Amino acid sequence: MTVKYEKTKGLTDKPLSYCPGCTHGIVHKLVGESLVELDILDRAIAIASVGCSVFSYQFFNCDAQQAPHGRACAEATGIKRVLPDNIVFTYQGDGDLASIGIAETIHAANRGENITVIFINNAIYGMTGGQMAPTSLIGQKTTTSQDGRNQADHGNPIKISEMFKTIEGVAYLERVAVNNPKNVIRAKKAIKKAFKYQKEKRGFTMIEVLSSCPVNWGMKPVDALKWIESDMIPNYPLGVFKDKGADDEKN
Amino acid sequence: MPKGKLTFDHERCKGCGLCVEYCPQKILYQDKKTLNDSGYNIVSVSEPDKCIGCAFCAMMCPDSVIKVEVDK
């Protein structure tokens, strides 16, 4: 018998602090596996954000730093410039990246900082108790939009990947989901490619991962994954938005 | 002979049931009579002989509970 799948060495043995069925755990595994497979775990530096993933510095089996709310990309910029040979990545949720931290993220992307951003989009503020996030869908009920988000009062959901597509410094940008095994395999490929591009010093790479929040959505874990398929993916279409590597090969 | 063999780290399990849902052979179940130290119902295999070793269960497990071994 040979081992086909086991706990990756990219993660520590500490039990994850996330709720049952939260897909943060799946994305953590994909990041850990990618770092191990590219043989960059020993020189990787994680930047944890504020939100549910605030403790991710305890889970990634590499050096880590925890940034104030929204400032992960700014901190990653500083660390990457001082230590250019290290692989620096941020792990941020939508409350962190799409709301308070959107300025830092856009400017880091615009400068083409050679960092990787793992962006978890679960359409809600998880840690603080299920408030409406910039990415919440129209009609979605949250604790601060109890009749559902409406366009007149709250505006439309921010589509981060569509927005970042136009920025010159972005080298790789893809939106993936982790709602079934097929999409998990695709998400792994995307995350690995982003780290590979950083290793090749191509520029800013970002992977948006459509993720679930069963507790704050008020659903069972399996139903939450089905809601990603039925409601989130039609609003946030999956796919590669920018791939400078592929563009270079074409030209 | 089963193609795959599953080993569970039951103490890490949070009983979310994603592995049960995504097993194509439908051979995983939540053991409603057994709790781990955290108080979650653990997952067991009903028919180990039918495992095909696809590792979908382990891939979908957020807490790295499942180890999959296959015959090669």
Side-chain angles (χ1 to χ4, degrees):
Chain A
M1 295 290 244
T2 52
V3 176
K4 181 171 179 183
Y5 199 105
E6 64 178 340
K7 189 176 185 308
T8 170
K9 292 185 170 55
L11 296 181
T12 60
D13 280 336
K14 194 171 172 62
L16 302 182
S17 57
Y18 306 111
C19 306
C22 172
T23 47
H24 261 308
I26 299 178
V27 186
H28 273 47
K29 286 196 305 184
L30 301 181
V31 171
E33 287 165 9
S34 302
L35 293 175
V36 170
E37 285 167 23
L38 291 169
D39 198 21
I40 49 177
L41 183 65
D42 53 345
R43 57 191 175 103
I45 300 174
I47 313 291
S49 61
V50 171
C52 294
S53 56
V54 67
F55 291 126
S56 58
Y57 58 84
Q58 298 178 339
F59 308 136
F60 293 121
N61 199 5
C62 59
D63 288 335
Q65 179 67 263
Q66 202 273 317
H69 202 186
R71 270 77 224 188
C73 282
E75 218 172 282
T77 299
I79 292 176
K80 184 71 183 183
R81 287 187 178 196
V82 175
L83 302 166
D85 292 332
N86 287 57
I87 301 293
V88 182
F89 69 97
T90 72
Y91 188 96
Q92 301 173 265
D94 47 5
D96 188 87
L97 184 144
S99 186
I100 190 170
I102 197 158
E104 279 78 359
T105 316
I106 285 182
H107 287 291
N110 192 40
R111 293 190 304 266
E113 297 294 342
N114 192 23
I115 57 174
T116 299
V117 175
I118 310 293
F119 167 42
I120 308 295
N121 180 357
N122 58 8
I124 208 159
Y125 276 81
M127 183 183 72
T128 49
Q131 289 85 358
M132 183 175 64
T135 45
S136 296
L137 303 180
I138 295 290
Q140 188 182 342
K141 287 183 181 175
T142 66
T143 52
T144 49
S145 61
Q146 297 187 351
D147 297 325
R149 178 175 186 157
N150 71 69
Q151 197 256 332
D153 289 338
H154 313 119
N156 284 309
I158 291 186
K159 298 188 173 182
I160 292 291
S161 289
E162 279 83 348
M163 203 161 99
F164 275 63
K165 186 171 74 173
T166 59
I167 297 176
E168 194 55 39
V170 177
Y172 191 72
L173 178 59
E174 183 169 353
R175 184 186 283 133
V176 294
V178 285
N179 61 324
N180 57 40
K182 189 176 92 183
N183 281 345
V184 169
I185 292 168
R186 285 186 181 158
K188 164 86 177 284
K189 270 189 190 159
I191 290 173
K192 203 169 163 182
K193 193 165 184 180
F195 281 119
K196 193 168 150 270
Y197 275 26
Q198 185 183 157
K199 212 175 155 186
E200 294 163 4
K201 301 191 185 341
R202 284 179 189 265
F204 188 87
T205 48
M206 182 160 91
I207 307 297
E208 175 176 352
V209 188
L210 300 185
S211 198
S212 74
C213 184
V215 169
N216 287 307
W217 291 357
M219 295 177 196
K220 289 182 175 168
V222 172
D223 296 337
L225 294 194
K226 289 183 177 153
W227 194 80
I228 294 183
E229 185 75 50
S230 64
D231 287 69
M232 279 188 85
I233 293 179
N235 281 289
Y236 295 112
L238 306 181
V240 180
F241 288 85
K242 201 164 180 189
D243 185 347
K244 266 195 185 163
D247 295 344
D248 290 348
E249 274 169 32
K250 262 187 231 161
N251 300 330
Chain B
M1 264 297 281
K3 285 183 187 159
K5 180 172 166 268
L6 306 181
T7 320
F8 295 86
D9 183 358
H10 289 303
E11 286 312 316
R12 298 181 72 90
C13 181
K14 292 178 183 163
C16 66
L18 296 187
C19 53
V20 178
E21 172 72 18
Y22 288 98
C23 173
Q25 297 293 90
K26 300 290 170 210
I27 54 169
L28 295 176
Y29 70 103
Q30 254 172 333
D31 187 347
K32 296 286 180 195
K33 287 181 182 160
T34 318
L35 301 175
N36 63 13
D37 285 356
S38 310
Y40 295 113
N41 287 119
I42 62 166
V43 169
S44 292
V45 195
S46 55
E47 295 161 281
D49 291 351
K50 283 192 180 172
C51 180
I52 55 171
C54 65
F56 280 8
C57 53
M59 213 181 285
M60 291 307 289
C61 174
D63 294 280
S64 312
V65 171
I66 308 171
K67 178 179 172 182
V68 184
E69 289 165 287
V70 289
D71 266 332
K72 257 196 183 164

